[in-house]
Amino acid sequence: MQAVFEYIEQQFTQRKGEVTRLFHGRGQCFSGFEDVVIDRLPPLIIIRLFSEIPEQQLDQLVAFFAEHPVYKPETLVIQYRYLREDSIKVCWQAPETELQRLAVTEGNLQFWMQPLRNQNSGLFLDMREGRRWVQQQSKGLRVLNLFAYTCGFSVAALAGGAAKVVNLDMSSPALNTGRENHRLNGHDMSKVKFFAHDLFRSWGKLKREGPYDLVVIDPPSFQKGSFVATKDYLKVLRRLPDLTCENARVLSCLNSPELDSQFLLDLMAEYCPEFRFVERLANPEDFPDADPERALKVLLFEKNSLNK
């Protein structure tokens, strides 16, 4: 337990005032805490439990925050992810703290989040380095953001000076939050488009908006009735040549523990041989994982006709 406390202490000093993961037990680096994650969404901290843990263990975690002389949060919440959506316990709460919806800061960007939702709270924290890369690389580019969700990559791209961003996602509510995220950051809305469509029925529309200098592919690892990586990822990749310009880059993401980096490398080699692998982006340091191939994979590819 002491090792866990020491790790959290260390994480407290990183990215002060920003949304961050204080503890990532899902990475299998702390025995006995594999189903515990702790997120800091200033001014609140959320302990998320993916399975039941011993009562004494949970009491010690709560006491650690309650008694901390420096880092006691204004609000502490326990979320029981293995139970129903509304299985939330508020340990204590500052009167002014909004639990249903709040704006969080990541670097110099802001995003709306719904911290009490069991899933899809508005921002996937493990993709922070991907968003940072896009922000740094997007100046003057035409960007296609597939499976856009709440448009985190789009916000990063416009913040980095992108000329145009096209967002596509089946969820209209998610894209509406994306619009609000852009407005929250003061962006020029004439440079961004939102398509609430089924990707596999929208190739013509996307092609007319292109070609693109950068394509971000960040699908759900498995979403029944929507996307199954093992059979649907290739359907996306085989369309890339027609959607992209010469020297375009593709950020290909995969967050399935069962599928490793080689899965993406093999698919790209077979269906898009003109794209060469450049590098795998590092995951955020607050998401340590005993097996990197079970963690988030973010691979960068670059198009070159000489690679055919």
Side-chain angles (χ1 to χ4, degrees), residues 134-153:
V134 167
Q135 184 175 358
Q136 292 174 343
Q137 302 293 326
S138 291
K139 187 173 180 61
L141 301 188
R142 296 158 295 178
V143 181
L144 174 60
N145 184 22
L146 300 177
F147 308 98
Y149 185 41
T150 57
C151 305
F153 280 114

Side-chain angles (χ1 to χ4, degrees), residues 70 118 137:
V70 178
N118 258 3
Q137 302 293 326

Side-chain angles (χ1 to χ4, degrees), residues 78 99 111 149 153 160 174 203 218 221-222 238 259 266 298-299:
I78 302 172
L99 294 181
F111 301 93
Y149 185 41
F153 280 114
W203 299 118
D218 185 22
S221 56
F222 181 87
R238 61 169 44 136
L259 299 173
D266 291 344
V298 182
L299 275 57

Side-chain angles (χ1 to χ4, degrees), residues 74-280:
E74 295 181 16
T75 300
L76 181 71
V77 174
I78 302 172
Q79 182 186 61
Y80 299 89
R81 288 284 297 266
Y82 58 95
L83 300 177
R84 294 184 178 181
E85 179 102 10
D86 60 352
S87 297
I88 299 291
K89 177 182 178 181
V90 179
C91 298
W92 64 83
Q93 179 181 359
E96 68 278 9
T97 302
E98 176 56 62
L99 294 181
Q100 298 302 319
R101 187 172 185 258
L102 77 161
V104 300
T105 299
E106 180 185 84
N108 65 342
L109 304 177
Q110 288 188 295
F111 301 93
W112 288 108
M113 291 190 70
Q114 296 175 280
L116 300 189
R117 292 196 59 174
N118 258 3
Q119 298 181 24
N120 302 331
S121 60
L123 189 70
F124 293 111
L125 306 188
D126 58 351
M127 194 56 84
R128 184 178 68 243
E129 291 304 305
R131 287 186 288 270
R132 185 171 67 88
W133 184 91
V134 167
Q135 184 175 358
Q136 292 174 343
Q137 302 293 326
S138 291
K139 187 173 180 61
L141 301 188
R142 296 158 295 178
V143 181
L144 174 60
N145 184 22
L146 300 177
F147 308 98
Y149 185 41
T150 57
C151 305
F153 280 114
S154 181
V155 169
L158 279 195
K164 172 183 179 178
V165 183
V166 174
N167 295 287
L168 185 140
D169 196 279
M170 289 183 66
S171 172
S172 294
L175 291 179
N176 287 338
T177 299
R179 290 184 178 88
E180 294 179 15
N181 282 335
H182 277 291
R183 295 188 182 105
L184 186 63
N185 288 275
H187 290 161
D188 181 352
M189 300 301 289
S190 68
K191 294 183 177 182
V192 57
K193 293 189 176 183
F194 307 87
F195 295 143
H197 300 315
D198 181 342
L199 170 61
F200 301 116
R201 299 179 181 178
S202 304
W203 299 118
K205 182 183 293 288
L206 293 179
K207 188 175 181 179
R208 287 192 294 272
E209 293 290 339
Y212 304 95
D213 305 291
L214 173 63
V215 178
V216 178
I217 309 170
D218 185 22
S221 56
F222 181 87
Q223 193 172 85
K224 188 174 181 180
S226 172
F227 189 91
V228 179
T230 51
K231 72 180 183 69
D232 290 330
Y233 218 121
L234 64 89
K235 298 177 185 177
V236 180
L237 297 186
R238 61 169 44 136
R239 296 283 185 165
L240 290 179
D242 292 335
L243 293 172
T244 52
C245 60
E246 187 64 23
N247 300 318
R249 288 180 290 180
V250 173
L251 207 59
S252 183
C253 311
L254 182 65
N255 201 2
S256 171
E258 293 76 26
L259 299 173
D260 60 13
S261 300
Q262 197 61 45
F263 169 78
L264 289 177
L265 293 170
D266 291 344
L267 284 183
M268 190 67 80
E270 180 174 358
Y271 295 100
C272 298
E274 60 266 59
F275 284 85
R276 67 176 182 89
F277 172 65
V278 179
E279 64 175 327
R280 175 179 174 178

Side-chain angles (χ1 to χ4, degrees), residues 7-23:
Y7 177 83
I8 296 173
E9 286 268 8
Q10 185 181 40
Q11 290 301 113
F12 265 125
T13 65
Q14 307 298 313
R15 294 172 298 281
K16 293 182 179 179
E18 294 187 34
V19 59
T20 189
R21 178 145 293 182
L22 292 175
F23 182 75

